[in-house]
Amino acid sequence: MEKALKMPLLLDGKALSESIRGRISEEIEEYTSRGFRPPTLAVVLVGEDPASKVYVGNKKKACQKVGIRSLSYELPYNTTLQELLELIAQLNADEEVDGILVQLPLPPHIPQQEVILAISPKKDVDGFHPENMGRLVARLEDGFIPCTPLGIDILLNHYGVELKGKDVVIVGAGFIVGRPLSLLMLWRDATVSVCHIHTKDISEYTKRADILISATGVPHLIKANMVKEGAVVVDVGISRVGDRIVGDVDFEEVKEKAFAITPVPGGVGPMTVTALLLNTLKAYRRNMGL
Ligand code: NAD
């Protein structure tokens, strides 16, 4: 007899994004048909990093599709901290700008934290300002949650993945993904472990995860023997290997063991952009008193 093919549930961030973006688009159309201006996001890119250019291009395209106006500021690599701070001050003061996004990483001569601190927390749609990170710690709904953690939360919730009391193991403790995600998963009452490059043996942790989320940027770091049978596996990693984009998870191996898994591409990536659109809409509603 032929061996039955075991198919894990595919957590399809692309399809879910399409439906959420459809709803965002309808809501914006409703506002503009009532005579309100469209939501507006200022997108700032410093330098010529090719990956950053692609990300910024995708974000602007997604904005345009749902009716969010994006204002583009492309500054040369040798822009000074002072010049960037002046632009941010101008955008903070502009009532027609609802959200400000400064694409990271910045060139090494510009201190990232100073730039993040300069963005008005009310326009900080990336959620990186310490005031918004603090709201995440304090579990206050009125802050902005960083886009990748928020996108993952929406994806898991959509597929009915229970988090309360579950063992969530996050591999990667970066500022953009791992750290804020650990706070969000705690908010959802999961038992959270966070591994990083100094963790002695990550598989000791990953093997007991009900929900395993990897955000390291190390291609195929997560192998089948590191995953518990029936786990939900979320792959945040994006790495270029030759002409292919691969994640942190060895998808072909791990899919045999997982109950559910995100593909790369088409999983967390589109959800991150969708979360940015949701945060921009939230900033707009508040700014316009809607
Ligand atoms: P980062 O460099 O800030 O953090 C990486 C983390 O991984 C660090 O905590 C580091 O200690 C840990 N790490 C590195 N190698 C490890 C190893 N061998 N074992 C255990 N831990 C290890 O990176 P980041 O900004 O958090 O991004 C991580 C990855 O996620 C990258 O591939 C990035 O491209 C991707 N990313 C994807 C999206 C998306 O929308 N899908 C969004 C943001 C980032």
Side-chain angles (χ1 to χ4, degrees):
M1 215 169 55
E2 214 173 292
K3 194 175 162 236
L5 279 176
K6 192 172 145 275
M7 291 294 285
L9 173 66
L10 210 60
L11 304 175
D12 188 341
K14 191 160 177 263
L16 178 59
S17 280
E18 266 168 36
S19 87
I20 297 173
R21 291 180 200 190
R23 271 180 270 140
I24 295 174
S25 176
E26 281 168 22
E27 185 177 333
I28 293 173
E29 204 170 318
E30 212 250 325
Y31 296 137
T32 50
S33 69
R34 280 159 55 195
F36 292 104
R37 65 161 176 82
T40 303
L41 174 68
V43 182
V44 182
L45 174 67
V46 184
E48 301 284 328
D49 179 62
S52 292
K53 277 191 153 183
V54 172
Y55 294 144
V56 160
N58 288 343
K59 290 171 188 173
K60 287 196 290 194
K61 228 186 287 163
C63 280
Q64 194 195 5
K65 258 188 128 174
V66 297
I68 293 175
R69 188 163 65 112
S70 65
L71 306 174
S72 200
Y73 298 87
E74 297 197 0
L75 309 179
Y77 182 88
N78 60 5
T79 299
T80 64
L81 171 64
Q82 202 48 42
E83 286 165 337
L84 186 52
L85 294 182
E86 276 163 24
L87 171 62
I88 291 170
Q90 183 196 316
L91 296 171
N92 281 341
D94 188 338
E95 280 178 15
E96 300 235 325
V97 171
D98 303 296
I100 302 170
L101 180 153
V102 177
Q103 183 65 37
L104 302 179
L106 289 164
H109 65 278
I110 302 181
Q112 183 171 297
Q113 276 305 327
E114 280 205 49
V115 175
I116 290 170
L117 275 171
I119 298 172
S120 162
K122 290 191 177 69
K123 300 191 179 191
D124 170 40
V125 288
D126 257 340
F128 297 150
H129 192 288
E131 201 172 306
N132 283 314
M133 289 283 191
R135 286 194 163 93
L136 184 53
V137 176
R139 306 182 173 191
L140 296 173
E141 296 279 356
D142 60 349
F144 293 108
I145 296 170
C147 299
T148 304
L150 178 59
I152 293 170
D153 188 50
I154 294 170
L155 187 65
L156 293 175
N157 185 50
H158 172 79
Y159 281 97
V161 177
E162 176 81 55
L163 294 169
K164 197 177 201 158
K166 300 290 184 195
D167 284 318
V168 172
V169 176
I170 300 169
V171 185
F175 172 73
I176 290 174
V177 187
R179 262 181 279 165
L181 181 62
S182 67
L183 296 170
L184 187 55
M185 292 296 106
L186 263 181
W187 189 346
R188 304 296 180 236
D189 295 323
T191 303
V192 183
S193 311
V194 186
C195 305
H196 46 75
I197 191 77
H198 301 295
T199 302
K200 275 182 258 161
D201 178 3
I202 63 166
S203 68
E204 251 183 53
Y205 295 85
T206 58
K207 274 193 280 197
R208 63 163 195 252
D210 298 310
I211 295 118
L212 173 61
I213 308 173
S214 188
T216 68
V218 180
H220 293 175
L221 174 70
I222 308 295
K223 301 284 185 191
N225 63 4
M226 299 164 75
V227 177
K228 184 166 88 173
E229 187 81 40
V232 173
V233 180
V234 176
D235 191 351
V236 184
I238 302 176
S239 308
R240 186 170 283 280
V241 175
D243 57 359
R244 280 197 325 136
I245 298 290
V246 300
D248 286 4
V249 176
D250 191 329
F251 185 89
E252 286 309 312
E253 272 191 17
V254 172
K255 79 175 199 300
E256 302 295 329
K257 250 182 146 177
F259 164 71
I261 188 166
T262 58
V264 175
V268 176
M271 290 306 299
T272 296
V273 178
T274 298
L276 171 69
L277 303 176
L278 288 169
N279 277 348
T280 304
L281 186 56
K282 185 176 183 177
Y284 168 75
R285 283 198 212 105
R286 194 177 307 159
N287 194 16
M288 304 291 281
L290 289 162

